[in-house]
Amino acid sequence: MTVAAFDTLDYDYTASVAETAMRLMGEQRVPPTPNNFHVWFKYCLGSSPELKRTIDILIGNRRKFDAATNHDLFATYAGSQIVAEEAVLNNASDHLHSVMTSARQFLTTAIAQMRAISDVTERTEAGFDPRSLVESVMSELAKAAARAAKLEVGFDEKTRELDAIRDSLNKSEERAKTDILTGLPNRRALDEFFRKAQIAAMENGEPLSILLIDIDHFKQFNDNFGHAVGDQVLRLVAKALRDRVRDIDLPARYGGEELIAVLPGANLAICTAVAERIRRSMAECQITRRSTGEILPGITVSIGVGQFQFGEAMADLIDRCDRALYLAKKSGRNRVVSENELNQEMAG
Ligand code: GH3
Ligand code: MG
Ligand code: MG
C-alpha cells in the first residue's frame, strides 16, 4: 500500500531517493534486503518524522544496525503500518467512494442550477418582462435550494456512516493491542509505547525505567489448583500492577505469567519503589477461592528493574531487567532487584 504511494512520485526524484537510501545503508552496513530498503527509502523520503528521528538518534549514537534493530524498525515503521493502512483502506474505501459520488452529484446539480439561473439572467439582459423574470429566478433558486437540502441530508448520513466506520476501526485497533486474559496492553502496544517513550526520553533528557514481574512458583500453583484458578491469579496480579502505576505509565502483559511496566520520567530509585509497592501488595493479598471459600496459599512475585540507557534497544534494557529478575529468584523470590545490584554482584 505504501509502496503504491511511492509509485506516484516522479521517476527522477524516486531514483535519487533510492540512491541515497542505498548509499546510507552501505555506510551504516545495513544489509540491502527488501524490508531494510523499505525502511531506508521511507527514511530518505522523510514521510515518517518518527522514523526519521529514530534513525537519526541511532546514527547519532553510533548504534549498530544489527538484525534485531533492523527488524524492529521495519515492524514499527513499515510492516505494521502497511497492515493498518490496508485495513483502513479496505474497510473505508466503499464508503469513501459513495461519498465522492454524492459530492460529484452535488456539484453537477449545482452547476446545472447555476446555468439555469444564468440563462434567466441573460434573458433579463435581453429585455424581457421584469416581473416574469424575477419569478423565474426565484423559482430556479427555490429548486436549487430544495435539491441542495436533499443532498445535504445524504451527506450527513454518509458522514455518520464514516464516523461509525472510524469508531469501529479505532476499536478494532484497540482490541489488537489488548491482551484478552488480563485486559492489559499486549506486546504490540508495549513496543509502540516504548518506542515513543524512548524518543521522548532522549529528546528531553528525562529518565525512563521499566519493571519486569514474574509470578513465583506459578507452575506449582497451576498444578495444584488448575489452570483456570491460575488465570484468575494472573488477572489479580495484572490488577495490582495497573492500580499501582500512573496514567502516563504503560503496564502490559509481556508473555505467559510475566507482566511489565514502562515508567516514563522515572529513574531507577522511583521505579524500584513502585515495584516494591506492587510486590508488597501481592505478598499481603489473601486469595480466597470464590466457589468454595477456601483460602489459597499466598502468591508472591519477583521483580527486576532497569533504567533506559541513551540510545539502547528495548531488548537490551529488558535483558538487564530479566537478569535482575533472575537474581531476585535466585536470592529467595518475593523480592525486587534492580540492575544496580546486578553490577554489585558481578563486581563482588
Ligand atoms: P519461578 O518462581 O521460577 O518463576 O517458577 P514458575 O513455576 O513460575 O516458573 P516456570 O517458568 O517454570 O513456570 C511458569 C508457569 O506459568 C508455567 C505456566 O503453566 C504458567 N503460565 C504461563 N502463562 C499462563 C497463563 O496464561 N495462565 C496460567 N494459568 N498459567 C500460565
Ligand atoms: Mg516465567
Ligand atoms: Mg514464574
Side-chain angles (χ1 to χ4, degrees):
M1 209 55 67
T2 320
V3 175
F6 291 164
D7 286 346
T8 59
L9 299 169
D10 111 81
Y11 175 82
D12 291 338
Y13 177 59
T14 318
S16 80
V17 173
E19 253 171 50
T20 315
M22 282 304 288
R23 180 174 52 76
L24 288 178
M25 287 169 77
E27 281 170 19
Q28 299 296 329
R29 313 295 302 154
V30 179
T33 66
N35 287 0
N36 290 343
F37 183 72
H38 188 119
V39 167
W40 285 80
F41 187 92
K42 212 167 165 181
Y43 166 77
C44 294
L45 203 58
S47 59
S48 161
E50 278 204 335
L51 169 66
K52 189 160 174 3
R53 260 195 299 178
T54 306
I55 289 190
D56 286 345
I57 287 168
L58 290 170
I59 293 176
N61 274 327
R62 298 177 191 284
R63 295 280 307 174
K64 274 215 180 84
F65 287 88
D66 56 15
T69 306
N70 293 334
H71 175 268
D72 268 8
L73 287 171
F74 180 75
T76 310
Y77 296 107
S80 59
Q81 271 174 15
I82 291 174
V83 174
E85 280 165 23
E86 252 164 10
V88 171
L89 288 173
N90 289 343
N91 284 293
S93 69
D94 286 353
H95 285 78
L96 281 173
H97 184 255
S98 79
V99 170
M100 293 308 282
T101 311
S102 302
R104 202 164 40 221
Q105 213 181 338
F106 178 84
L107 287 173
T108 313
T109 314
I111 289 167
Q113 216 71 55
M114 279 163 67
R115 285 217 181 100
I117 292 169
S118 98
D119 280 354
V120 174
T121 323
E122 269 164 30
R123 271 184 277 149
T124 317
E125 280 157 4
F128 277 83
D129 167 26
R131 200 179 320 161
S132 83
L133 284 170
V134 168
E135 266 160 26
S136 301
V137 172
M138 299 235 337
S139 118
E140 290 300 335
L141 283 175
K143 273 192 241 165
R147 282 188 199 159
K150 218 163 101 190
L151 282 166
E152 208 177 297
V153 172
F155 264 127
D156 283 352
E157 224 168 79
K158 292 287 174 230
T159 310
R160 273 197 298 279
E161 278 174 29
L162 279 172
D163 280 348
I165 291 176
R166 194 188 43 204
D167 287 352
S168 86
L169 285 174
N170 285 347
K171 277 195 195 112
S172 84
E173 198 179 318
E174 199 59 42
R175 273 197 299 277
K177 286 190 201 162
T178 307
D179 168 56
I180 301 171
L181 180 68
T182 58
L184 287 178
N186 60 16
R187 271 292 269 278
R188 198 172 149 191
L190 169 73
D191 287 352
E192 205 174 284
F193 183 88
F194 188 84
R195 180 97 35 206
K196 288 183 185 147
Q198 177 184 39
I199 292 172
M202 289 189 282
E203 278 184 352
N204 308 333
E206 281 174 4
L208 167 68
S209 298
I210 66 174
L211 55 90
L212 186 63
I213 306 176
D214 186 289
I215 305 178
D216 295 331
H217 298 305
F218 199 40
K219 187 174 178 317
Q220 202 180 320
F221 189 92
N222 273 314
D223 290 347
N224 292 343
F225 301 98
H227 215 261
V229 183
D231 282 355
Q232 295 289 353
V233 167
L234 195 49
R235 285 199 195 96
L236 196 71
V237 181
K239 186 174 179 332
L241 167 64
R242 197 187 296 118
D243 289 349
R244 278 162 195 81
V245 293
R246 304 159 300 173
D247 285 348
I248 62 158
D249 301 329
L250 187 91
R253 184 174 183 194
Y254 186 60
E257 36 117 35
E258 289 179 8
L259 306 179
I260 195 167
V262 181
L263 280 66
N267 60 22
L268 204 59
I270 292 171
C271 193
T272 305
V274 173
E276 182 52 31
R277 284 202 285 277
I278 296 166
R279 182 205 64 76
R280 194 164 354 111
S281 81
M282 282 315 300
E284 288 168 358
C285 176
Q286 193 185 61
I287 305 172
T288 318
R289 198 170 190 165
R290 221 174 283 155
S291 54
T292 59
E294 176 193 359
I295 292 173
L296 300 178
I299 283 287
T300 59
V301 296
S302 298
I303 307 182
V305 180
Q307 185 175 332
F308 172 66
Q309 288 171 13
F310 198 95
E312 77 176 333
M314 182 172 77
D316 292 334
L317 172 56
I318 290 184
D319 183 56
R320 287 200 307 283
C321 290
D322 213 18
R323 279 187 286 136
L325 180 59
Y326 178 73
L327 185 56
K329 295 275 182 189
K330 215 173 68 173
S331 38
R333 295 181 173 78
N334 186 23
R335 64 191 62 208
V336 175
V337 170
S338 88
E339 61 181 342
N340 273 352
E341 293 166 69
L342 215 55
N343 301 338
Q344 284 158 17
E345 208 207 31
M346 279 194 326

